[in-house]
Every structure is written in structure tokens, then in C-alpha cells.
Amino acid sequence: MNYLLKGVNLYLIGMMGVGKTTVGRLLAHQLGYGFIDTDDVIVKAASKSINEIFTEEGEAAFRQLESDVLGQVCAYTKLTIATGGGIVLRQENWGYLRHGLIVWLDAPVQILLNRLGEDDTRPLLQDSDPEGKLHSLLQQRQPLYSEADLHITITDNQTPEEIATRIIEAIPSVLKTQHQN
């Protein structure tokens, strides 16, 4: 399968809870790629949880770490990379993301809420109105997410395997348009 992308990295972007890590692992396996979750790398590098980084150093410090990690991983090839939901907010990150194929996993807020309901590890959801918070984050990020090469809309009844298969099947159509530019 790895001939499909010719070694080009695959970046998954989208909101928290959309399944970037789960789908990313499946894609990496199908493509014969390595898998990296930028959040995991940040946690290892900082020796702190993401919550601790947000609490102790603030969101700006976290976003800087995120950019540093992205800058390092984009130097490699044959990787599927699950990114943090807010990675699209910094312009410099797009310089890194555009080295690869960018896939936006998009799910309605209701699906995200169902998945994140019990998750207390998400600093941006420590909010009295998590649903309102998700709506405002999505509103802020949607124009940026829409710059992805591939837009995959997720429904409630799709398995991660089905989503990974949809992405693999859609890749050739995106690659053709990239080479025509």
C-alpha cells in the first residue's frame, strides 16, 4: 500500500474526539507507515500531561511545543501523524502540514460530545458548557480545517476501519489533482 503516497506523510487534522489517533493507527498499518500522535510526543518531551502544560504554562506554551514537534516529524517520511485539534491555528504549522497530505476528519458536534462526555483529559473542555465550547472551537477552526486536501465527514455509525478505508480509497483522487498544479 505504501506506493500509494510514495512516502509522503499523511496528516490527520480535526476536532478533539473525532478519532484521529484511532483512524491514524489503522491508516499507518494499511499504508505500511509509522504512526505518531503529536500529543503523545509533547507529553513525553515535556514529562507532563497536556492538562499540566495548559495549567502550568498556558495554551501558548503548548502551541509552541506542538509547532516544534510538527517541525521535527515533518523531516521524516512514511508517517501517519495524528495532530492536536488546534494545530491549524498557527500559520507556521501549515508550512509543515503542506509537506504531506492533509486529511480533515469532520464530525458533528453531537458525535464529539458523545465521545468526549467522560473525558476529563481535554483542557479546552474544562468548561461549564462543553457543547457551547465545542461549537465555538469548531466555528473558529472550520475555515482552517477546510484547507485540507481531503475532507472526510464522519457519521455516528461508521467504524474506524470504514473511515480508514474511505481515506485510502480517496487518496488517489487527491494526489492526481496535486500533480496537475
Side-chain angles (χ1 to χ4, degrees), residues 41-92:
V41 177
I42 291 166
V43 167
K44 282 196 187 88
S47 303
K48 292 178 184 175
S49 73
I50 288 173
N51 264 339
E52 288 169 328
I53 298 168
F54 265 77
T55 306
E56 295 167 22
E57 300 169 40
E59 185 174 355
F62 172 78
R63 296 288 169 216
Q64 186 54 55
L65 280 170
E66 195 172 50
S67 293
D68 295 346
V69 166
L70 193 60
Q72 288 162 14
V73 298
C74 90
Y76 296 91
T77 57
K78 296 188 181 170
L79 290 176
T80 298
I81 299 150
T83 63
I87 207 154
V88 296
L89 298 170
R90 290 182 83 157
Q91 197 52 51
E92 70 180 284

Side-chain angles (χ1 to χ4, degrees), residues 12 18 103-107 148 150-155 158 162-164 166-168 170:
L12 296 173
V18 79
V103 179
W104 171 22
L105 294 183
D106 185 13
L150 200 52
H151 180 183
I152 301 287
T153 305
I154 292 166
T155 58
Q158 281 179 312
E162 287 170 333
I163 295 163
R166 274 179 62 203
I167 293 168
I168 299 261

Side-chain angles (χ1 to χ4, degrees), residues 86-159:
I87 207 154
V88 296
L89 298 170
R90 290 182 83 157
Q91 197 52 51
E92 70 180 284
N93 292 344
W94 283 97
Y96 300 132
L97 293 169
R98 290 205 171 98
H99 285 284
L101 185 78
I102 309 165
V103 179
W104 171 22
L105 294 183
D106 185 13
V109 166
Q110 211 40 61
I111 291 180
L112 302 176
L113 264 181
N114 294 344
R115 292 181 180 180
L116 295 166
E118 301 302 308
D119 190 339
D120 58 7
T121 65
R122 313 279 181 161
L124 291 177
L125 279 190
Q126 322 273 304
D127 197 273
S128 56
D129 176 17
E131 184 174 358
K133 183 69 175 186
L134 278 174
H135 275 292
S136 70
L137 286 170
L138 187 57
Q139 207 171 2
Q140 174 195 23
R141 296 171 180 177
Q142 212 153 14
L144 297 164
Y145 288 150
S146 67
E147 292 182 35
D149 300 305
L150 200 52
H151 180 183
I152 301 287
T153 305
I154 292 166
T155 58
D156 223 355
N157 53 6
Q158 281 179 312
T159 65

